[in-house]
């Protein structure tokens, strides 16, 4: 009898626990559903473009001691837009993490340094940063269709697309596409991009204090450059890229925006005595970046679009980056000077 009473008592407790868990889960699910974008669609996808971001990072990615980085975006997800300016932007810069430059203070980013160069030459141009970590040309098309066009009365004269190193044959999670993400991780990304209760709790308690995590593009302090001899490989299919670039040009013209393309290069490769060296024995980064750059330049030429060959003409080396990819303030200054010198000779709006 005593055993039956004990079992009955525990069964009752377990039943109460499961009922409470069920109703708590149901309540959280309802809150998540009602607070996010799944039912009540927002005008802008703020969980992706980081509207009103206000983060303070301490990092030593490119310094001997940790420095403070202030990363801010306005209500439209733009970085470096002058307060009180008109709704007209002279240059909007679009790209991945090498454009966003999250771990550089605003004044050190190439977008802001380009604006400063214009100011020093008596040109009052507003250069605004719309970079998103990890974004490729798939994401740039999304930005044109789902971001910039949805901001009332916004006029963009020129867009500088600084692109190349993020290109792939299909859109990924950094392009707001999670089709290829497997469960259960896929659920986490659904919650992240729903921008509901769970996402906001995560944002407040975790992301602002730990910005380098699995759900964001990781940046490393340094990457040892052990170079290996490699042969040229023409194994990158540019069909998807060519299609995307043409689509970007088409949409830009439809929106009365002048597109400007700048191809990229990294410090993941070098050439010495006509021999190509790559940091990977299996991946020829030189070939990949060269093929992508040439594909973009060809489309620019065919469509008479302003295009700058950053792959061949931008002199970036290891000392200009902190991980062979992302530039430090000195490297960003080189990018700004390269763009300024080329834009001086170009006809833009």
């Amino acid at each position: 009898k005593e055993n039956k009473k004990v079992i009955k008592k525990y069964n009752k407790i377990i039943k109460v626990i499961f009922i409470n868990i069920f109703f708590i889960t149901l309540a959280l699910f309802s809150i998540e559903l009602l607070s996010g974008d799944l039912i009540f669609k927002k005008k802008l996808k703020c969980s992706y473009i980081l509207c009103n971001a206000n983060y303070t990072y301490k990092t030593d990615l490119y310094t001997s001691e940790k420095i403070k980085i202030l990363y801010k975006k306005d209500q439209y997800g733009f970085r470096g837009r002058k307060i009180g300016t008109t709704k007209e932007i002279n240059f909007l810069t679009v790209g991945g993490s090498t454009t966003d430059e999250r771990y550089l203070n605003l004044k050190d980013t190439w977008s802001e340094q380009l604006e400063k160069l214009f100011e020093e030459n008596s040109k009052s141009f507003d250069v605004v940063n719309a970079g998103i970590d990890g974004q490729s040309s798939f994401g740039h098309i999304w930005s044109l269709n789902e971001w910039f066009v949805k901001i009332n009365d916004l006029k963009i004269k020129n867009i500088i697309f600084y692109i190349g190193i993020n290109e792939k044959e299909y859109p990924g999670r950094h392009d707001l596409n999670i089709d290829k993400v497997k469960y259960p991780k896929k659920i986490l990304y659904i919650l992240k991009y729903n921008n509901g209760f769970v996402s906001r709790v995560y944002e407040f308690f975790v992301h602002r204090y730990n910005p380098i995590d699995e759900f964001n593009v990781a940046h490393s302090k340094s990457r040892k450059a052990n170079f290996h001899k490699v042969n040229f490989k023409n194994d990158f299919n540019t069909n998807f890229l060519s299609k995307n670039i043409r689509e970007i040009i088409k949409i830009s013209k439809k929106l009365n925006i002048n597109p400007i393309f700048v191809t990229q290069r990294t410090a993941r490769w070098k050439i010495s005595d006509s021999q190509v060296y790559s940091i990977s024995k299996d991946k020829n980064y030189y070939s990949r970046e060269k093929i992508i750059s040439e594909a973009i330049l060809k489309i620019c030429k065919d469509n008479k679009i302003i295009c700058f060959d950053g792959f061949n003409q931008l002199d970036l080396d290891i000392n200009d980056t902190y991980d062979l990819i992302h530039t430090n303030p000195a490297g960003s200054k080189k990018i700004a000077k390269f763009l300024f010198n080329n834009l001086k000779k170009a006809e833009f709006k």
Side-chain angles (χ1 to χ4, degrees):
K1 284 186 178 180
E2 287 297 321
N3 287 337
K4 286 184 178 179
K5 284 183 179 180
V6 171
I7 292 171
K8 191 174 181 181
K9 180 181 178 182
Y10 277 110
N11 283 339
K12 189 176 181 180
I13 292 171
I14 291 170
K15 187 177 180 181
V16 169
I17 290 171
F18 273 106
I19 290 172
N20 281 314
I21 290 173
F22 173 77
F23 281 108
I24 290 171
T25 303
L26 185 63
L28 287 174
F29 178 76
S30 300
I31 292 170
E32 177 66 25
L33 206 59
L34 294 172
S35 63
D37 295 346
L38 289 176
I39 294 179
F40 303 103
K41 297 289 184 183
K42 310 291 192 306
K43 194 171 187 179
L44 297 176
K45 194 71 176 175
C46 284
S47 59
Y48 180 55
I49 64 177
L50 302 181
C51 309
N52 295 307
N54 187 4
Y55 306 147
T56 300
Y57 304 141
K58 285 187 178 179
T59 181
D60 58 355
L61 284 168
Y62 47 87
T63 54
S64 57
E65 296 180 357
K66 287 195 174 183
I67 59 172
K68 185 186 285 187
I69 304 296
L70 300 177
Y71 180 81
K72 293 184 178 182
K73 286 191 168 189
D74 67 10
Q75 70 268 35
Y76 303 117
F78 294 144
R79 188 179 187 196
R81 194 169 185 200
K82 293 177 181 175
I83 298 173
T85 56
T86 62
K87 296 221 170 183
E88 182 175 272
I89 294 175
N90 299 99
F91 292 96
L92 190 68
T93 62
V94 169
S97 55
T98 51
T99 297
D100 181 40
E101 300 191 282
R102 182 174 300 205
Y103 303 109
L104 270 63
N105 277 311
L106 181 62
K107 66 181 179 63
D108 293 324
T109 63
W110 64 259
S111 299
E112 201 68 13
Q113 292 196 63
L114 175 60
E115 181 176 285
K116 186 179 178 183
L117 286 170
F118 278 123
E119 288 176 354
E120 290 172 353
N121 286 267
S122 303
K123 300 287 186 182
S124 182
F125 289 156
D126 195 11
V127 181
V128 178
N129 191 329
I132 293 180
D133 275 8
Q135 198 179 59
S136 71
S137 56
F138 289 101
H140 305 332
I141 292 171
W142 180 92
S143 295
L144 286 164
N145 286 326
E146 303 295 334
W147 181 5
F148 311 144
V149 76
K150 291 188 176 181
I151 301 173
N152 292 337
D153 302 321
L154 176 68
K155 180 175 176 55
I156 303 167
K157 287 190 170 184
N158 308 277
I159 292 185
I160 298 175
F161 294 95
Y162 184 51
I163 59 175
I165 61 175
N166 285 343
E167 293 310 311
K168 44 194 175 290
E169 295 183 28
Y170 50 83
R173 59 189 175 90
H174 296 299
D175 301 305
L176 203 57
N177 186 302
I178 56 173
D179 290 346
K180 291 186 177 292
V181 179
K182 295 179 180 179
Y183 289 101
K185 188 180 286 187
K186 192 168 188 174
I187 296 172
L188 297 176
Y189 283 106
I190 291 171
L191 291 171
K192 173 183 168 67
Y193 292 132
N194 183 46
N195 197 30
F197 174 74
V198 174
S199 175
R200 291 171 199 179
V201 169
Y202 171 81
E203 177 74 19
F204 185 82
F205 288 105
V206 180
H207 186 217
R208 66 174 60 239
Y209 302 110
N210 181 35
I212 303 177
D213 60 27
E214 189 178 355
F215 294 101
N216 300 279
V217 175
H219 298 235
S220 57
K221 179 175 173 60
S222 62
R223 184 180 295 178
K224 195 174 181 181
N226 292 320
F227 290 103
H228 309 275
K229 284 185 180 181
V230 290
N231 296 317
F232 186 84
K233 284 184 179 180
N234 191 5
D235 59 355
F236 187 80
N237 188 341
T238 59
N239 289 339
F240 74 93
L241 174 62
S242 299
K243 181 180 177 182
N244 285 354
I245 298 300
R246 292 190 185 97
E247 184 67 13
I248 287 170
I249 293 170
K250 179 183 175 182
I251 299 169
S252 296
K253 287 184 175 180
K254 185 179 178 182
L255 297 175
N256 196 28
I257 299 171
N258 181 43
I260 299 170
F261 292 91
V262 184
T263 63
Q264 293 180 283
R265 64 151 297 169
T266 68
R268 296 178 292 186
W269 57 268
K270 68 177 182 178
I271 297 178
S272 179
D273 297 327
S274 300
Q275 173 64 52
V276 177
Y277 295 84
S278 174
I279 62 168
S280 171
K281 291 180 181 179
D282 303 318
K283 291 183 180 180
N284 187 329
Y285 286 107
Y286 167 79
S287 298
R288 180 187 176 90
E289 293 172 22
K290 179 181 172 64
I291 291 166
I292 289 172
S293 177
E294 288 175 347
I296 295 170
L297 292 170
K298 183 181 184 305
I299 295 172
C300 286
K301 185 178 179 181
D302 292 345
N303 290 272
K304 297 180 181 179
I305 299 296
I306 300 173
C307 210
F308 305 140
D309 186 0
F311 173 79
N312 285 302
Q313 298 172 7
L314 185 52
D315 184 27
L316 289 178
D317 58 35
I318 291 174
N319 295 324
D320 296 316
T321 74
Y322 54 82
D323 59 1
L324 306 181
I325 299 172
H326 302 95
T327 49
N328 54 33
S332 294
K333 189 173 184 178
K334 278 189 177 182
I335 297 172
K337 282 186 175 180
F338 170 76
L339 287 172
F340 177 73
N341 290 332
N342 279 278
L343 284 169
K344 283 195 303 184
K345 297 177 275 185
E347 293 185 9
F348 54 85
K349 289 186 180 180

